Amino acid sequence: MQTEFAFELPRGYVDDSGVVHREGVMRLATARDELIPLRDDRVRENSAYLTVVLLGRVVVRIGSVVDVHAGIIEDLFASDLAFLQDMYRRINSEGHTRSGVACPSCGHGFEVDIAGGRLGES
C-alpha cells in the first residue's frame, strides 16, 4: 500500500534565504492527524486554520525543508495551499492522485496525475 505521495507545487515555498522549494512529499493522514488539530487553540479560534495545522502534520517535506509545520504552510502562496488541500482530499478520500480530464478542443478524455510533474507531462 502506498502511504507517501510526491508532488510539485505550482509556485513553490520561498524560504528565508529566497530559495524556492517545489518538490515535496505528503503522507496519508491517520485518525490522530485529524483529531489533534481540533485541540489546537488556533483552530478553536478560527476553524479555517484547521487546514493549515493538518497539512503541517502530513506534509513530510517541501524541497530540502524537512521540518514542515503550520508556520511553513502559512507562508505558502494561496495556489500552493489550494493544491495541497486538493491533494490531501484525493489521497485520503479517493486513495490516489489521478484525476480524469478532457481536452477542451476535442473532448478526448484522459487521466493526469495531479500530484505534480512538469507542464505537459502526465
Side-chain angles (χ1 to χ4, degrees):
M1 179 168 90
Q2 184 176 359
T3 60
E4 291 191 342
F5 299 84
F7 62 81
E8 185 172 330
L9 295 172
R11 297 202 185 271
Y13 167 68
V14 182
D15 68 19
D16 293 337
S17 302
V19 176
V20 179
H21 305 268
R22 293 186 66 204
E23 294 179 358
V25 175
M26 179 186 293
R27 66 172 174 77
L28 287 176
T30 64
R32 179 183 306 259
D33 290 323
E34 294 204 348
L35 293 171
I36 286 180
L38 299 175
R39 293 186 280 181
D40 190 299
D41 289 337
R42 298 168 294 187
V43 174
R44 287 182 178 172
E45 291 175 19
N46 181 357
S47 61
Y49 205 77
L50 174 63
T51 298
V52 172
V53 175
L54 186 54
L55 288 174
R57 293 183 58 84
V58 298
V59 174
V60 176
R61 175 183 61 79
I62 301 175
S64 62
V65 179
V66 293
D67 181 22
V68 180
H69 50 80
I72 299 290
I73 302 299
E74 283 179 327
D75 287 340
L76 292 174
F77 292 106
S79 58
D80 291 331
L81 179 63
F83 173 86
L84 290 175
Q85 285 175 305
D86 186 55
M87 182 174 172
Y88 177 91
R89 181 184 55 78
R90 288 185 182 277
I91 69 172
N92 287 288
S93 298
E94 300 169 13
H96 60 82
T97 60
R98 299 192 65 76
S99 181
V101 297
C103 173
S105 298
C106 69
H108 176 74
F110 57 97
E111 286 190 344
V112 295
D113 187 345
I114 58 104
R118 303 259 182 237
L119 290 175
E121 293 181 354
S122 60

